């Protein structure tokens, strides 16, 4: 569900054939903050998908290459983020 006008207009996958499958570990972030995302990466189980809600905030990215590397190291399946993500070409 993507509530609100214009939601989903920036949805994209990191590659044409990539799919995510895993248990959702949900995270609700205040606009522009990502401290709880570090907590989630540390506490989610290998194979989990982080479902990150930040109300579509796009003024500052909540994750990027460094966060993705931490998640990969912990064995997480990936992210679904309702907000800005940077370094997409490196993830």
């Amino acid at each position: 569900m993507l509530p609100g006008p214009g939601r989903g207009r920036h949805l994209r996958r990191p590659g044409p054939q990539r799919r995510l499958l895993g248990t959702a570990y949900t995270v609700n972030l205040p606009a522009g903050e990502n401290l709880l995302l570090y907590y989630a990466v540390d506490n989610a189980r290998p194979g989990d998908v982080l479902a990150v809600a930040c109300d579509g905030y796009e003024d500052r990215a909540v994750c990027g290459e460094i966060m993705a590397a931490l998640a990969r190291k912990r064995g997480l399946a990936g992210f679904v983020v309702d907000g800005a993500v940077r370094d997409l070409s490196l993830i």
Side-chain angles (χ1 to χ4, degrees):
M1 180 167 76
L2 298 168
R7 254 332 129 81
R9 67 184 185 278
H10 299 297
L11 287 179
R12 58 182 135 164
R13 293 188 277 186
Q17 300 300 322
R18 297 193 128 176
R19 299 190 187 275
L20 284 177
L21 178 65
T23 302
Y25 187 104
T26 60
V27 185
N28 190 10
L29 298 179
E33 295 295 326
N34 71 350
L35 184 59
L36 290 174
L37 193 51
Y38 282 99
Y39 177 85
V41 168
D42 284 342
N43 289 284
R45 295 180 176 151
D48 284 354
V49 175
L50 294 182
V52 184
C54 42
D55 202 29
Y57 185 79
E58 295 182 346
D59 289 343
R60 190 167 52 213
V62 295
C63 66
E65 179 187 14
I66 294 170
M67 188 71 71
L70 292 171
R72 203 171 300 130
K73 184 176 179 180
R74 294 265 306 131
L76 303 185
F79 293 88
V80 176
V81 180
D82 174 27
V85 177
R86 66 174 175 252
D87 309 324
L88 284 176
S89 64
L90 302 172
I91 295 176

